């Protein structure tokens, strides 16, 4: 039997991120905002109300006729731990006897993709470009993961989660042990302010590089398994900085599209770009698209133009 989840959250970006995350774990649920009427057609078995316990009390949610779950208490009051949140929702489900698995459509599945972004730009230019270029990817996908493979000091300020099991270091350690599979991957992720699902910052700035390329590639393979699942439309954006060309070739071989971001101030006499493109082209034994975008030389980092280079 289906059930209803009401998310009492006024921040639209956070609401959309939570809805996408919960839709993967509970595809048979009606996920609504408080201003939408709860289904009364008899198909919803019970209602769970998620509320911002920093702004309202459990008593204030009683008007929705469901059991309340505090959003921020799941993350010790400072963040939302989606893994704990899903466990609490599942406990309510079992209490109400809703344990039947959701039906899986027999229609042809929609396969997700992995995009590798290789930026040679300032952090502000890179982040503005990502918001502009990949807004539709986040908006139209069931879930969009973002994995930043770079030094911790280069990561954006939206990476603020510090919960147990939710750092990039924890994710890399699990991949190194061989104990990480695609069904567990989402337990390490939380929504950021732009709608991506992300791990927290690494414990140490250079943990990505200390882990080694083999571990990084093992993690990407797990991400790829997740994007190829039949039950949901999941995409991933991998942002890689600081790797040698030989290691970028290994990483890019696991991705579906390569996107290079270059500042226009470095493009007039850039002799290394052909070497990078040729190296990445040779990393794949199948057709792959390589996009090259440029930024203007000002803090907003507005995209100027895009060239497309396809492998043979």
């Amino acid at each position: 039997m289906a059930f209803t989840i009401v998310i009492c959250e006024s921040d639209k970006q956070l609401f959309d991120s939570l809805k996408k995350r919960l839709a993967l774990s509970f595809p048979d649920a009606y996920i609504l905002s408080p201003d939408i009427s709860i289904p009364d057609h008899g198909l919803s078995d019970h209602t769970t109300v998620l509320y911002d316990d920093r702004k309202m009390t459990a008593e204030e949610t009683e008007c929705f006729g469901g059991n309340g779950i505090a959003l921020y208490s799941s993350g010790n009051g400072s963040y939302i731990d989606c893994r704990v949140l899903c466990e609490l929702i599942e406990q309510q489900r079992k209490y109400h006897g809703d344990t039947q698995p959701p039906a899986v459509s027999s229609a042809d599945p929609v396969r997700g993709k992995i995009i590798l972004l290789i930026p040679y730009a300032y952090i502000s230019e890179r982040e503005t470009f990502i918001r502009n270029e990949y807004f539709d990817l986040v908006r139209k996908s069931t879930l969009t993961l973002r994995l930043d493979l770079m030094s911790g000091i280069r990561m954006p300020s939206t990476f603020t989660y510090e919960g147990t099991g939710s750092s990039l270091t924890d994710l890399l350690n699990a991949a190194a042990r061989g104990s990480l599979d695609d069904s567990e991957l989402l337990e390490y992720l939380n929504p950021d302010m732009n709608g991506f699902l992300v791990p927290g910052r690494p414990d140490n700035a250079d943990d990505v590089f200390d882990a080694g390329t083999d571990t990084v590639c093992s993690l990407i393979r797990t991400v790829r398994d997740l994007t190829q699942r039949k039950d949901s439309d999941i995409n991933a954006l991998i942002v890689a900085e600081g790797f040698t060309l030989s290691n970028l070739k290994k990483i890019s071989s696991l991705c579906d599209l390569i996107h290079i971001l270059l500042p226009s101030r470095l493009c007039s006499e850039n002799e290394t770009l052909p070497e990078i493109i040729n190296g990445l082209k040779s990393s794949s034994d199948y057709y792959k698209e390589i996009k090259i975008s440029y930024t203007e030389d000002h803090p907003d980092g507005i995209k100027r133009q895009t060239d497309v280079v396809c492998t043979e």
Side-chain angles (χ1 to χ4, degrees), residues 142-302:
T142 301
L143 290 175
T144 305
L145 283 60
R146 174 174 171 174
L147 193 60
D148 274 37
L149 304 177
M150 61 182 68
S151 171
I153 63 175
R154 291 280 300 174
M155 291 185 178
S157 58
T158 52
F159 285 51
T160 57
Y161 305 101
E162 299 175 354
T164 302
S166 62
S167 75
L168 180 58
T169 302
D170 294 323
L171 200 55
L172 290 166
N173 289 340
R177 293 191 301 267
S179 59
L180 182 68
D181 61 41
D182 62 294
S183 63
E184 299 171 334
L185 180 61
L186 292 174
E187 297 180 1
Y188 291 82
L189 307 177
N190 283 293
D192 73 355
M193 296 304 293
N194 295 316
F196 292 99
L197 286 179
V198 300
R201 291 178 179 274
D203 297 344
N204 303 289
D206 290 332
D207 280 354
V208 168
F209 305 110
D210 291 341
T213 308
D214 288 344
T215 296
V216 168
C217 288
S218 176
L219 176 56
I220 296 174
R221 290 189 189 96
T222 304
V223 173
R224 187 171 187 83
D225 289 342
L226 182 64
T227 63
Q228 297 300 301
R229 282 173 55 164
K230 298 179 180 180
D231 56 352
S232 193
D233 173 24
I234 305 174
N235 293 287
L237 173 66
I238 295 177
V239 188
E241 292 185 7
F243 289 89
T244 64
L245 178 57
S246 60
N247 286 333
L248 279 177
K249 289 169 63 175
K250 295 177 182 179
I251 293 171
S252 66
S253 67
L254 301 170
C255 302
D256 302 299
L257 183 149
I258 302 168
H259 202 158
I260 301 173
L261 177 62
L262 294 170
S264 55
R265 59 186 172 275
L266 298 181
C267 295
S268 57
E269 297 181 359
N270 193 319
E271 298 179 357
T272 61
L273 183 57
E275 178 186 356
I276 294 173
I277 294 175
N278 290 332
L280 294 176
K281 286 173 62 176
S282 66
S283 69
S284 176
D285 56 2
Y286 62 91
Y287 179 88
K288 184 177 295 184
E289 182 181 358
I290 299 177
K291 296 174 66 176
I292 304 170
S293 294
Y294 306 90
T295 64
E296 294 289 1
D297 293 332
H298 56 71
D300 290 336
I302 298 174

Side-chain angles (χ1 to χ4, degrees), residues 16 30 61 200 205 231-232:
D16 290 341
Y30 299 98
T61 68
D231 56 352
S232 193

Side-chain angles (χ1 to χ4, degrees), residues 3-7 15-34 36-37 39 48 50 89:
F3 69 109
T4 299
I5 300 174
V6 177
I7 304 176
F15 174 87
D16 290 341
S17 297
L18 283 171
K19 182 175 181 178
K20 288 183 178 182
R21 174 63 176 85
L22 295 173
L24 181 68
S25 297
F26 306 103
D28 55 338
Y30 299 98
I31 305 177
L32 311 173
S33 62
I36 297 179
S37 299
T48 294
L50 308 181
I89 294 172

